[in-house]
């Protein structure tokens, strides 16, 4: 038995122990319904980490979240096993059989002309088993489901011939939405807005730009920029709720411009291997500074609930309220020192030297980049 088999057997045994008499009271109390929100939550946490890795972040957190998701699968299989329905081995066998049957060009030696023909064959096999649209869960996010429905329909030729047709359809739906808005008919607005969103998802598929990913990225940009607006208001001593729209828009445009001026990191971050807890009289000042400076270094600021940390190659550090920090961190230098030094000064830090780069953040931490 290989390492994977041993690890899976250990996980199964842990699950059986948790569910057995004398095991964990919480685990023993769960059923197929109560586990549903945890399965959904773990799935979205995996997606969050996939986004971070895609932006050059560390892989270690993704490994942990995949483990949490795998545990949910093992948990559900154990529930089924207790009812003599199936076990984890049956789950693995079923998916193996399915994958083999839908890849005859790999396992039966059939010849295909390329990836598109593979997808067409897959759709044909699915149609023989039921409907081409089967397998798109109704509980999936609506934007994702719309994209997957049109993708599956396209496999048997039910599709626009070109991008121009898709774009023209979107324009048609937008015009119909304008008409519904003028009518002030709430049901008509809902209907036409749904058609617009459906057309947008189809456009996303046609341009190979997953709509769900694009919207998540837009959400992330909004969150970063709004945090920058909040930090700007704090720095100016403007209480929340009293700032004018013009003041907030100015801060928003500054945050947007700052993002546009940050080039992508030269290389992906390595896994974090150590974590350092620092203290600061005003942790919010440190947060505002590192939110602006970290991207210029190829680092990230990770937020988990109300907690945040700076992730660097090999090290993460965070601040708690306390005495002023006097720590000195020595990390790899970026390749764009003049640009980074300018960003540090703009964000309220103090540059002591550029060659080598040495600077203080606003709460006293010294960073050296030899």
């Amino acid at each position: 038995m290989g390492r994977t088999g041993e690890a899976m057997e250990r996980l199964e045994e842990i699950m059986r122990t948790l569910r057995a008499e004398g095991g964990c009271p919480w685990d023993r109390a769960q059923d197929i319904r109560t586990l549903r929100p945890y399965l959904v939550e773990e799935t979205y946490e995996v997606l969050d980490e996939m986004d971070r890795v895609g932006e050059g972040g560390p892989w270690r957190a993704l490994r942990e979240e995949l483990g949490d998701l795998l545990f949910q699968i093992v948990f559900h299989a154990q529930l089924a096993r207790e009812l003599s329905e199936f076990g984890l081995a049956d789950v693995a066998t079923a998916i193996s059989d399915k994958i083999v049957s839908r890849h005859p060009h790999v396992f039966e030696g059939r010849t295909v002309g390329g990836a598109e023909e593979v997808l067409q064959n897959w759709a044909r096999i699915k149609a023989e088993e039921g409907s081409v649209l089967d397998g798109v869960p109704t509980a999936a996010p609506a934007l994702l489901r719309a994209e997957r429905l049109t993708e599956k329909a396209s496999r048997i030729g039910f599709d626009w011939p070109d991008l121009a047709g898709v774009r023209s359809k979107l324009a048609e739906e937008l015009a119909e939405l304008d008409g519904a808005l003028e009518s002030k008919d709430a049901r008509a607005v809902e209907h036409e807005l749904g058609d617009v969103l459906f057309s947008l998802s189809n456009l996303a598929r046609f341009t190979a730009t997953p709509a769900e990913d694009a919207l998540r990225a837009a959400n992330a940009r909004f969150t970063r920029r709004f945090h920058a607006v909040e930090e700007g208001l704090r720095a100016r001593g403007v209480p929340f709720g009293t700032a004018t729209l013009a003041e907030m828009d100015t801060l928003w445009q500054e945050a947007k411009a700052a993002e546009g001026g940050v080039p992508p990191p030269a290389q992906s971050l390595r896994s974090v291997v150590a974590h350092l807890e620092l203290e600061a009289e005003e942790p919010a000042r440190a947060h505002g500074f590192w939110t602006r400076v970290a991207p210029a270094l190829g680092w990230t600021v990770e937020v988990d609930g109300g907690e945040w940390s700076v992730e660097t190659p090999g090290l993460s550090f965070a601040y708690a309220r306390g005495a002023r920090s006097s720590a000195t961190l020595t990390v790899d230098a970026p390749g764009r020192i003049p640009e980074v030094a300018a960003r540090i000064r703009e964000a309220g830090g103090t540059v002591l030297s550029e060659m080598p780069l040495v600077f203080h953040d606003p709460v006293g931490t010294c960073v050296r980049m030899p």
Side-chain angles (χ1 to χ4, degrees):
M1 182 185 299
R3 179 168 175 249
T4 301
E6 293 175 353
M8 289 302 299
E9 281 204 355
R10 179 180 178 229
L11 185 55
E12 275 194 285
E13 181 58 34
I14 290 172
M15 187 70 258
R16 285 193 291 268
T17 301
L18 291 172
R19 290 280 297 176
E21 185 175 350
C24 173
W26 187 89
D27 290 284
R28 285 174 53 81
Q30 303 312 304
D31 59 30
I32 204 75
R33 293 181 181 84
T34 62
L35 286 179
R36 180 184 174 88
Y38 301 104
L39 177 61
V40 173
E41 179 181 338
E42 297 301 348
T43 301
Y44 281 114
E45 288 183 358
V46 168
L47 290 174
D48 284 345
E49 293 306 327
M50 288 171 64
D51 288 342
R52 293 188 180 103
V53 170
E55 294 172 356
W59 283 75
R60 183 175 181 178
L62 176 58
R63 181 195 69 182
E64 293 172 358
E65 296 302 340
L66 286 171
D68 290 344
L69 183 57
L70 176 60
F71 184 74
Q72 286 295 312
I73 295 170
V74 172
F75 206 143
H76 283 79
Q78 174 62 25
L79 294 178
R81 182 176 178 273
E82 291 169 4
L83 298 172
S84 300
E85 294 290 342
F86 57 81
L88 186 61
D90 300 304
V91 173
T93 298
I95 186 59
S96 296
D97 291 345
K98 181 188 294 185
I99 295 301
V100 169
S101 70
R102 293 183 182 175
H103 290 79
H105 55 288
V106 175
F107 299 103
E108 296 179 13
R110 297 186 188 178
T111 302
V112 292
E116 186 60 32
E117 187 175 342
V118 170
L119 293 175
Q120 290 171 355
N121 288 342
W122 184 289
R124 177 183 54 77
I125 296 170
K126 286 282 292 182
E128 292 172 355
E129 297 172 352
S131 168
V132 170
L133 301 182
D134 289 345
V136 183
T138 57
L143 198 60
L144 172 63
R145 187 164 191 262
E147 188 175 344
R148 292 288 288 141
L149 287 171
T150 58
E151 177 188 347
K152 286 180 175 289
S154 72
R155 300 296 173 225
I156 59 170
F158 190 76
D159 203 1
W160 294 95
D162 52 39
L163 179 59
V166 181
R167 184 60 184 86
S168 176
K169 181 63 176 176
L170 174 59
E172 175 189 324
E173 298 296 353
L174 283 168
E176 292 180 2
L177 175 60
D178 287 339
L181 291 170
E182 290 178 6
S183 74
K184 298 182 180 179
D185 183 333
R187 292 187 65 183
V189 170
E190 180 184 24
H191 179 101
E192 298 302 340
L193 181 59
D195 287 348
V196 168
L197 292 172
F198 192 89
S199 295
L200 278 171
S201 72
N202 208 17
L203 180 67
R205 175 182 63 83
F206 238 85
T207 57
T209 308
E212 196 75 21
D213 292 347
L215 185 55
R216 280 208 310 275
N219 289 341
R221 288 193 298 273
F222 178 87
T223 301
R224 287 196 302 269
R225 293 169 188 174
F226 192 77
H227 284 167
V229 170
E230 291 176 320
E231 294 295 341
L233 293 177
R234 289 191 186 98
R236 290 164 172 74
V238 180
F240 288 178
T242 65
T244 66
L245 180 58
E247 287 176 311
M248 291 187 287
D249 186 61
T250 297
L251 291 168
W252 177 275
Q253 295 302 327
E254 289 177 0
K256 183 176 180 180
E259 283 185 4
V262 177
Q267 60 184 7
S268 296
L269 295 177
R270 297 184 295 274
S271 296
V272 173
V273 297
H275 180 75
L276 184 63
E277 291 286 345
L278 304 174
E279 291 187 345
E281 295 175 354
E282 299 178 84
R285 291 187 64 198
H287 186 204
F289 172 82
W290 286 109
T291 296
R292 298 185 63 185
V293 171
L297 296 168
W299 301 354
T300 60
V301 175
E302 304 292 343
V303 180
D304 183 6
E307 305 296 326
W308 63 276
S309 63
V310 181
E311 307 288 333
T312 83
L315 171 70
S316 72
F317 59 94
Y319 291 85
R321 187 172 298 279
R324 183 180 175 89
S325 170
S326 59
T328 298
L329 309 180
T330 302
V331 293
D332 294 339
R336 306 174 303 278
I337 289 180
E339 293 92 334
V340 172
R343 179 60 57 82
I344 291 168
R345 294 187 179 99
E346 292 170 2
T350 303
V351 177
L352 305 179
S353 167
E354 289 194 14
M355 295 298 290
L357 179 60
V358 182
F359 65 91
H360 282 148
D361 71 5
V363 297
T365 302
C366 179
V367 180
R368 297 179 56 86
M369 297 185 163

